[in-house]
Amino acid sequence: QSALTQPASVSGSPGQSITISCTGSSSDVGGYTYVSWYQHHPGKAPKLMIYDVSVRPSGVSNRFSGSKSGNTASLTISGLQAEDEADYYCSSYTASSTVLFGGGSRVTVL
Amino acid sequence: DVQLVQSGAVVKKTGESLRISCKGSGYNFPMYLITWVRQIPGKGLEWMGRIDPSDSYTDYSPSFYGHVTISVDKSISTAYLQWSSLRASDTAIYYCAKSSTPWHFDSWGQGTLVTVPS
C-alpha cells in the first residue's frame, strides 16, 4: 500500500491560516469517515489533533479543524502560531482493515 | 494520567532477536487496542499492526506480516513488538499507541530507537 499523499511542506506567517491536504482513494480516505491528523514534534510522541475527519479531542485548540471532500481530506490551522511548527501526518482506515499514514507535511512558521 | 512507557533504546546486530515493550498505566489496559508504528529516521510514520489486549487478536500490515510479532501480557499491562532476526533496514524509532477504535490513536509512547548497524 502506498502512503497517502501530502505536500512535503507548508508555510505561513503568524496569524495566517494554512491548509494541508491528504489525498487517497475510494478504498481509504474516500470510503470512510475515519481520517485522523497527528502533530509530531521530532523527538516527541505524536499527538492526535483530529479524528473521524473533523472531531477535535479534548484539549486541542479550536484553531485546528478538519474536513473531507471525496478522496481528499484537509487540516486547516488558523491563527498560525510559532508552536504549530511541526510535522503533520494524516491517516485513514482502509478497506483491508489496516491504517495508512500520509507521507507527512512539515509546517514552517515564517 | 494515561501513560504509555516504552523500553529504552537498543543497538543490536543483524540476525539477532529483539523484543521491545510498551507498558500502559492510568487506564483499563484490556479495554483499548495497542498499535505499533514505525518511523525510519528522516521518514514518515508507518502503521505496523495492532493487538486487542482482551483476546490477543492481532492485525498486521502486509509490509510487516511475518517479520514482526505483536503480543501482550495483560496481567502486567504490557504490549510487545518482537523480531526473531533483525535486519539493518529495521533501524527506526518504534512507537506504541493506545486507541478505542482501530483507526485513530489517542495516546502515544515516547518511542524506542532500534539501531541495527549494517
Side-chain angles (χ1 to χ4, degrees), chain A:
Chain A
Q1 290 174 307
S2 298
L4 303 175
T5 301
Q6 297 182 231
S9 62
V10 180
S11 62
S13 299
Q16 285 187 330
S17 293
I18 62 170
T19 296
I20 305 168
S21 61
C22 170
T23 301
S25 71
S26 58
S27 297
D28 37 69
V29 175
Y32 302 91
T33 57
Y34 301 145
V35 175
S36 304
W37 290 90
Y38 301 87
Q39 178 190 65
H40 190 203
H41 290 102
K44 296 196 170 183
K47 178 183 178 182
L48 177 66
M49 305 302 285
I50 296 284
Y51 67 95
D52 293 356
V53 175
S54 60
V55 181
R56 263 190 321 274
S58 173
V60 172
S61 171
N62 59 9
R63 298 186 298 105
F64 292 84
S65 61
S67 63
K68 191 187 82 160
S69 178
N71 295 338
T72 298
S74 298
L75 174 72
T76 298
I77 309 174
S78 59
L80 199 61
Q81 299 179 1
E83 68 206 48
D84 301 332
E85 193 161 283
D87 297 323
Y88 291 83
Y89 293 90
C90 63
S91 72
S92 175
Y93 194 62
T94 79
S96 305
S97 301
T98 61
V99 172
L100 202 54
F101 280 99
S105 298
R106 173 67 56 90
V107 168
T108 302
V109 182
L110 302 171

Side-chain angles (χ1 to χ4, degrees), chain B residues 12 14 16 28 36 51 53 57 91 98 103 107:
Chain B
K12 302 289 281 186
T14 302
E16 290 186 329
N28 191 346
W36 287 94
I51 189 164
Y57 180 80
T91 294
K98 157 192 167 285
W103 48 82
S107 294

